[in-house]
Structures are given as structure tokens and as C-alpha cells.
Amino acid sequence: QVQLRESGGGLVQAGGSLRLSCAASGSIFRLIAMAWYRQAPGNQRELVASITSDSSTTYADSVKGRFIISTGNAKNTVYLQMNSLKPEDTAVYYCNADLIETYTGRNDYWGQGTQVTVSS
């Protein structure tokens, strides 16, 4: 089993910054990719940013130039640096990991989510 734990959400004013963190733990053989999704009330869950094992990144058009996804020195950790935040960024942000477990093979896992609220 693999567990994802997110942190770093909170309440900020428009134009401010937050950094989200996600750490994956368990019997992880190899990470294929990690990503951040978000879901606002009444909306579908959408991909915000992703990073693959070769460090290639993908961003939603709405966050390009403002958000940066990266991995850390800690094992199986991904960050989302969010700058120039806008009220429309308000959502629950979820960490996702596509990985190969040591004994059971490839699986997909989700974190519990962390709330990001941006005030006008």
C-alpha cells in the first residue's frame, strides 16, 4: 500500500503565494509521475501540473507562468509553488502518484486533498 500526504494549503490574498507539498510513502519501487489536480465546487477535477520521472513537466493553461511543479530531495516528494494567486485558483488540491509498487505492480494513488482559498 502507498499513502500520499498533502500539506501547505491555506487562505491567502490575491497576488500571494503558497507552496503545496506531497509525500508518498510505502512499498514504492519506481515513480512514473506525480501530479497536482484541483476541484472547485460545481466543477470537475482538473489537472493543474504534472512531472514525470525524466523531469518533464506539464501545466494547465490557466496556471502557466504562475505555478511551478518540482520534486524535492526527500524521497518521493513533489511540490507545487503557486505564485500570483487569483480567486479563481480557489479549490481543493489533490496530489496524485502514478507508480510501480514493489510487489503489486503499477498503481495510481490519490491524497486526501488540501484546501486553497484565495480572497479578492
Side-chain angles (χ1 to χ4, degrees):
Q1 284 291 321
V2 172
Q3 182 174 240
L4 271 56
R5 295 182 177 181
E6 302 123 324
S7 63
L11 173 64
V12 297
Q13 293 182 334
S17 298
L18 283 174
R19 190 184 74 161
L20 305 183
S21 300
C22 176
S25 60
S27 301
I28 302 170
F29 177 74
R30 178 161 60 95
L31 276 167
I32 305 300
M34 296 189 77
W36 289 96
Y37 289 74
R38 68 185 181 188
Q39 186 168 20
N43 293 344
Q44 294 185 335
R45 187 171 298 186
E46 64 175 347
L47 176 66
V48 178
S50 66
I51 185 166
T52 62
S53 59
D54 65 353
S55 299
S56 63
T57 57
T58 300
Y59 296 93
D61 288 340
S62 59
V63 306
K64 286 181 179 178
R66 299 189 297 120
F67 291 8
I68 301 172
I69 189 169
S70 63
T71 56
N73 291 329
K75 292 183 178 179
N76 306 315
T77 302
V78 66
Y79 302 97
L80 184 66
Q81 179 66 46
M82 304 185 293
N83 300 315
S84 301
L85 284 162
K86 304 174 180 180
E88 50 263 46
D89 294 319
T90 296
V92 177
Y93 285 70
Y94 298 91
C95 179
N96 173 266
D98 179 13
L99 52 82
I100 298 175
E101 293 185 72
T102 302
Y103 304 105
T104 60
R106 191 167 181 173
N107 284 296
D108 190 58
Y109 285 89
W110 292 90
Q112 293 289 312
T114 184
Q115 177 71 48
V116 172
T117 303
V118 184
S119 62
S120 300

